[in-house]
Amino acid sequence: MTLTSAATFTSSRQPDPTRSVASRVLSVLDAFSGECRRLTVSDISRRTGMPLTTAHRLVGELVSWGALERDRDGRYQIGLHLWEVAVLAPRGLGLREVAMPYLEDLFAATRQHVQLAVLDGLDVVYIERISSRDAIHVHSRVGGRWPAHATGVGLVLLANAPQTAQEQALSGPLAAFTSKTIVDPGALRRMLAEVRRTGYALSDRQVTLDAVSVAAPIRNAAGEVVAALSVVVRAGAPLPGTVPAVLAAARGISLQLLRNPQGP
Amino acid sequence: MTLTSAATFTSSRQPDPTRSVASRVLSVLDAFSGECRRLTVSDISRRTGMPLTTAHRLVGELVSWGALERDRDGRYQIGLHLWEVAVLAPRGLGLREVAMPYLEDLFAATRQHVQLAVLDGLDVVYIERISSRDAIHVHSRVGGRWPAHATGVGLVLLANAPQTAQEQALSGPLAAFTSKTIVDPGALRRMLAEVRRTGYALSDRQVTLDAVSVAAPIRNAAGEVVAALSVVVRAGAPLPGTVPAVLAAARGISLQLLRNPQGP
């Protein structure tokens, strides 16, 4: 078993080799990441594999529209206008706005990290996290991705995903982060069945050996699981009360989605 | 004086008439707004002024990359992947993450709406708002825009903006929302000077006749004003304590920006 360190993990997105102009423009945006938020045109040219002149021209177009901005050192960063548009994504801020009061209540009740995530392919994407300065360190960042099988929110989302997505997760390689990460497809299949049976997931020390997460599903008006909520606690800390609290918060958000058209 | 209702106000952004492919791709994203988050290809074609076939092709590219997603009714919405990239914008989420603990503390202390905004052209863009269910209604939404001259955060940002931006604001027409909105350039010039002198802005019933906002500037490591923070209270409510609290929160965020490289 090969342990994958959190620092070297990269998402499963691949650049599109058949490059239309539209996809080249969008690939410039993909050059940016959590670790690299400010890039020069040379960086962008190198990371996208496009010639310097092309990169320069497309960067100009993106700056003109506001998807990129130039900082005082002459490097480029993701621009405000892209964020203004992205804020309209129902699966991003739309969901977060509906969920926020419940996340805050759960945080006030538990004083532990509270996370909200959605499934994208075989990864979870964290939409929000409320953190406690007193609680343990977590790897996730808002907008960040993580392989679903290795997280509480991910186990909930996979367990309720369409059959094709589940089979894809069960057939592909499963990255390991600790000695407790579920990497055996049979064990994962049994875990997903257990999550469906109990209605929640307990992810035991799969990402770091000092943390456990308790997660529950959030459903939209059509009854589909569209997101998951979790609380991350120190491994070995007592759990009674945590599972009902997480389930109650998730149910509260689901009820809100019944009424709110802006959610997913 | 013509009163502009909040419902009919539109931003000052104009579509680019010289349409490269890159700008056409980006203009599809501009078709979406706070009021219209789910659109059909026909809607997009109509709003962008491009032929249906072109709109259809570009929508396909944007779906492929994840900037748009198709909902179960066959309409398109802003996609998760656009949000994932946009989250990297230092002037969006980067700033918000640094500011959040201070916004929460200010909210806990005042139990009033707390807002965080940046300047874009002659508009403010709201990066975050923490709202109280007991407080008065506010028009702003996260990711929304408003003309700077008519808001507390906007007065702070304009007062500290480069001379050219100030002169532009002072020379253009100033939209009115209430009988108290500052629409006279001379009055605005005097107000901006007052904001610089006192170090904060009091925006008196400029957006609705029942609300007043108290705003203060947030500075980056280079001492430039990069954002503003405000508390919105009911007009006529006692203010002592609010001004020092807002100033203290803004100073706290500024200190954090000194240390934090992810901010603007």
Side-chain angles (χ1 to χ4, degrees), chain B residues 199-219:
Chain B
Y200 70 92
L202 197 81
S203 178
D204 183 20
R205 291 168 288 173
Q206 292 211 81
V207 176
T208 56
L209 288 171
D210 61 354
V212 165
S213 86
V214 178
I218 293 165
R219 297 171 190 281

Side-chain angles (χ1 to χ4, degrees), chain B residues 44-101:
Chain B
I44 291 167
S45 161
R46 211 172 21 251
R47 287 168 162 252
T48 57
M50 65 177 80
L52 199 59
T53 47
T54 310
H56 200 270
R57 180 171 53 82
L58 295 180
V59 163
E61 300 252 31
L62 288 162
V63 166
S64 186
W65 187 82
L68 293 181
E69 292 167 355
R70 202 155 186 240
D71 73 10
R72 77 190 76 85
D73 305 318
R75 282 172 306 169
Y76 294 90
Q77 61 195 32
I78 297 295
L80 183 68
H81 191 55
L82 194 76
W83 179 83
E84 277 183 84
V85 172
V87 138
L88 304 173
R91 292 219 291 157
L93 202 72
L95 171 63
R96 176 198 175 261
E97 291 208 328
V98 172
M100 206 59 182

Side-chain angles (χ1 to χ4, degrees), chain A residues 63-211:
Chain A
V63 167
S64 185
W65 187 83
L68 293 181
E69 292 168 356
R70 202 154 186 238
D71 74 10
R72 76 190 75 87
D73 305 317
R75 283 173 304 170
Y76 295 90
Q77 61 195 33
I78 297 295
L80 183 69
H81 191 55
L82 195 76
W83 179 82
E84 277 182 84
V85 172
V87 138
L88 304 172
R91 293 219 291 156
L93 202 72
L95 170 64
R96 177 197 175 264
E97 292 209 326
V98 172
M100 205 60 182
Y102 298 89
L103 300 182
E104 284 167 349
D105 286 348
L106 187 56
F107 176 69
T110 61
R111 306 307 301 176
Q112 303 295 327
H113 301 292
V114 177
Q115 302 180 128
L116 176 68
V118 295
L119 190 67
D120 191 58
L122 300 179
D123 296 331
V124 293
V125 176
Y126 292 98
I127 301 301
E128 184 55 90
R129 187 186 64 247
I130 303 182
S131 286
S132 161
R133 269 166 276 210
D134 316 314
I136 57 176
H137 177 68
V138 278
H139 280 93
S140 62
R141 66 170 178 87
V142 173
R145 292 184 161 252
W146 208 263
H149 72 278
T151 67
V153 285
L155 289 171
V156 163
L157 290 164
L158 276 179
N160 291 282
Q163 199 61 31
T164 45
Q166 296 194 45
E167 291 306 323
Q168 203 183 342
L170 291 163
S171 65
L174 300 170
F177 299 91
T178 69
S179 53
K180 305 283 288 176
T181 314
I182 302 167
V183 295
D184 169 61
L188 181 58
R189 189 184 291 275
R190 287 188 296 276
M191 171 64 93
L192 298 183
E194 181 72 1
V195 170
R196 281 188 294 271
R197 189 184 71 77
T198 59
Y200 69 92
L202 195 81
S203 179
D204 182 21
R205 292 167 287 174
Q206 291 212 82
V207 177
T208 56
L209 287 173
D210 60 354

Side-chain angles (χ1 to χ4, degrees), chain A residues 212-235:
Chain A
V212 164
S213 84
V214 179
I218 293 164
R219 296 171 191 279
N220 65 6
E224 302 158 326
V225 171
V226 292
L229 173 63
S230 74
V231 164
V232 182
V233 298
R234 188 173 294 281

